[in-house]
Amino acid sequence: MATAARRLLAFHLRHPPAHPLAAISTAVPRRRKHDAVACRAAAGKSKRQQRRALEEHLKRRTRSGAAFDAELYRRHSHAQHVPVMLGEVLAAFCRPLPLRSFVDCTLGAAGHSLAMMEAHPEMELYIGMDVDPSALEIGQNRIEAFLASRETDGGDDEDALQGTLCAYTHAKNFKYIKHVLGSVDENIAVGTSGVDGILIDLGMSSMQVNRSDRGFSVLQDGPLDMRMDPKATLKAEDILNSWPDLEVGRILRDYGEESNWHSLQKRIVKARAMGGLHSTGELVKLIQRTCTGSGGRQGWIKTATRVFQALRIAVNDELRTLEDALHACFDCLATDGRLAVISFHSLEDRIVKQTFLELIHGDEADDDEDLASADIGSEDEPWFKQRVRGKNGTVLTKRPISPSEEEEELNQRCRSAKLRVIQKT
């Protein structure tokens, strides 16, 4: 067994923990009253038009329809982070087949992992991965406490399951899932068995955003870092101050989907002659000077959010990493195993959608007219409205699942989340 893996605990699983975690309300920001508008580039639309467009977008969402379980969220939330679409994730892996093995590729505060362990006492192998060592440590501690509490509360119940859960955590990017699984069990790595379930949550956690020294926050001054892996060498500061002008513009346009990218590019290049940009506060001030019109504070915040997103994606090579990881994860699934992915912006969701279709069809043509989609009326999984079948698997969510209205009211940061699920044949 590789020394890189940290084996947490191995316990007989019996009853759920006795003590709930901190209330969600301590971690969730209040909903803002208005959705915003902003830079000179968006100048043709009125607030009324933008509000109408947002309402139409929300109507087109596909929601699970599952009842919102506030107690579930309270049990598995962390003081600094609330897991997104927790009930929907549980539904994605709730099926007649037992879930003997599960991999959480983005462990974070372990909210999803704890809920999965609680819902599946038959689980025998758990692996948690996270490239962020500080987040990994929090997740490790919570899993250890959860399993210890479960063992203590189990007592001598003769009806309790006697299976032993072996839990491991790794400080690795999820694109290395094959290597991680191989270090635990070679049979899984070579595909002779595979794992039953894999989850990827692509969202930024509050633990990362709220730390000014990480450089992710628009509202807090800090270094222009934005590295998910502190051991990586490239920082946002390097891109802004030394990358070619056209490349900076391309990043803002393609990764941030920022229509005012050209003006921002020119101001960034001009700032280099004045000593460059070295803090998030300096970058925000540059964005504020670029933004005009009646958008006010909300206007520049939306533009800054897109700029920060673009830089973060470039620093961490997120889009290419995601595509590679989806292929690797699918290879690691057992027959009938499922992969669930939560994305938070259109670039990620587009990659997940297209890659899922490639995975199920293989070398076959994947034109829309060739997709074998069918309405499914399953009592066990009523939230999977349509499925797309291929020779290698089935996309269980032809349209992505969005959070429930109750969850959106509770946690504003989940509003852009989209869940897609694929099952291997």
Side-chain angles (χ1 to χ4, degrees):
M1 185 176 299
T3 58
R6 175 180 175 184
R7 179 168 179 174
L8 297 180
L9 294 169
F11 285 115
H12 294 292
L13 304 185
R14 294 183 173 89
H15 299 298
H19 305 290
L21 300 175
I24 293 178
S25 58
T26 61
V28 181
R30 297 179 63 184
R31 179 186 289 274
R32 300 187 188 278
K33 292 183 178 179
H34 300 289
D35 277 314
V37 221
C39 253
R40 182 172 48 195
K45 291 186 177 181
S46 67
K47 290 184 178 180
R48 181 178 299 178
Q49 289 173 316
Q50 291 188 352
R51 192 177 299 113
R52 186 180 300 115
L54 176 61
E55 291 173 354
E56 290 299 318
H57 170 71
L58 295 178
K59 288 179 181 178
R60 292 194 300 268
R61 288 184 172 185
T62 302
R63 300 186 188 275
S64 69
F68 180 76
D69 188 347
E71 176 59 27
L72 177 70
Y73 279 77
R74 278 193 290 268
R75 285 202 306 273
H76 300 302
S77 293
H78 184 262
Q80 300 180 53
H81 183 64
V82 180
V84 171
M85 301 184 72
L86 191 54
E88 287 75 11
V89 168
L90 289 178
F93 295 100
C94 181
R95 44 185 193 148
L97 297 178
L99 193 74
R100 300 291 184 187
S101 53
F102 179 73
V103 180
D104 189 341
C105 289
T106 45
L107 177 61
H112 289 111
S113 292
L114 295 175
M116 292 296 294
M117 291 178 183
E118 180 183 86
H120 294 278
E122 76 277 14
M123 190 184 301
E124 298 173 353
L125 174 64
Y126 166 84
I127 297 175
M129 301 170 59
D130 206 301
V131 71
D132 186 335
S134 59
L136 184 69
E137 183 178 2
I138 293 174
Q140 287 173 337
N141 293 336
R142 295 192 69 202
I143 291 174
E144 287 178 345
F146 178 84
L147 294 179
S149 175
R150 202 163 194 176
E151 173 67 8
T152 301
D153 295 339
D156 297 322
D157 187 355
E158 295 180 357
D159 296 329
L161 292 175
Q162 297 302 310
T164 299
L165 171 61
C166 295
Y168 305 87
T169 58
H170 291 253
K172 286 283 189 180
N173 188 291
F174 50 65
K175 68 181 178 181
Y176 299 116
I177 184 172
K178 289 185 177 180
H179 172 75
V180 170
L181 292 179
S183 68
V184 175
D185 187 336
E186 292 183 358
N187 291 326
I188 297 177
V190 298
T192 56
S193 57
V195 294
D196 299 324
I198 301 175
L199 172 67
I200 301 177
D201 178 357
L202 299 171
M204 292 285 297
S205 73
S206 302
M207 299 177 294
Q208 296 162 328
V209 175
N210 294 339
R211 284 185 54 179
S212 60
D213 62 317
R214 301 296 298 275
F216 295 118
S217 176
V218 170
L219 301 178
Q220 300 183 61
D221 190 22
L224 280 166
D225 194 321
M226 303 192 189
R227 292 173 297 171
M228 299 296 294
D229 180 0
K231 297 179 181 179
T233 56
L234 179 64
K235 301 180 182 179
E237 181 179 5
D238 303 325
I239 295 176
L240 291 170
N241 294 323
S242 61
W243 279 30
D245 306 0
L246 294 178
E247 185 65 10
V248 172
R250 184 194 67 81
I251 288 171
L252 298 177
R253 182 192 66 222
D254 295 348
Y255 295 166
E257 298 182 296
E258 172 54 50
S259 56
N260 203 28
W261 64 271
H262 193 258
S263 296
L264 288 165
Q265 173 195 317
K266 290 194 295 185
R267 286 184 177 269
I268 290 171
V269 173
K270 185 177 179 181
R272 294 176 178 178
M274 306 298 292
L277 298 167
H278 304 285
S279 71
T280 57
E282 292 174 351
L283 178 58
V284 166
K285 289 179 180 178
L286 181 147
I287 294 170
Q288 289 173 328
R289 291 193 298 268
T290 307
C291 291
T292 59
S294 59
R297 182 174 184 268
Q298 285 299 299
W300 69 258
I301 285 181
K302 282 193 171 290
T303 300
T305 300
R306 290 190 288 266
V307 171
F308 275 56
Q309 171 187 296
L311 291 171
R312 191 198 75 229
I313 290 174
V315 167
N316 299 286
D317 196 15
E318 293 180 13
L319 301 185
R320 184 170 61 180
T321 296
L322 173 59
E323 185 173 358
D324 293 343
L326 292 175
H327 283 272
C329 288
F330 191 76
D331 289 344
C332 293
L333 287 176
T335 300
D336 293 329
R338 291 182 176 179
L339 166 63
V341 182
I342 303 175
S343 62
F344 286 83
H345 57 76
S346 59
L347 297 176
E348 291 174 340
D349 182 61
R350 193 176 304 127
I351 289 175
V352 176
K353 175 183 177 180
Q354 294 174 348
T355 305
F356 275 10
L357 294 177
E358 292 172 4
L359 288 170
I360 65 170
H361 290 290
D363 297 330
E364 293 179 348
D366 58 355
D367 295 333
D368 289 343
E369 59 185 19
D370 292 328
L371 299 183
S373 62
D375 291 313
I376 300 295
S378 171
E379 294 182 0
D380 294 329
E381 297 172 323
W383 63 292
F384 292 132
K385 306 297 183 183
Q386 289 186 324
R387 308 187 182 196
V388 183
R389 305 180 189 278
K391 66 175 184 179
N392 299 322
T394 302
V395 176
L396 301 178
T397 49
K398 183 177 181 180
R399 295 184 62 185
I401 304 300
S402 300
S404 65
E405 294 182 6
E406 293 87 348
E407 182 175 3
E408 286 188 7
E409 289 292 335
L410 179 69
N411 182 9
Q412 185 184 14
R413 291 182 177 179
C414 82
R415 293 178 64 188
S416 60
K418 294 180 180 179
L419 172 66
R420 294 185 184 269
V421 187
I422 188 173
Q423 179 171 308
K424 190 173 184 179
T425 299

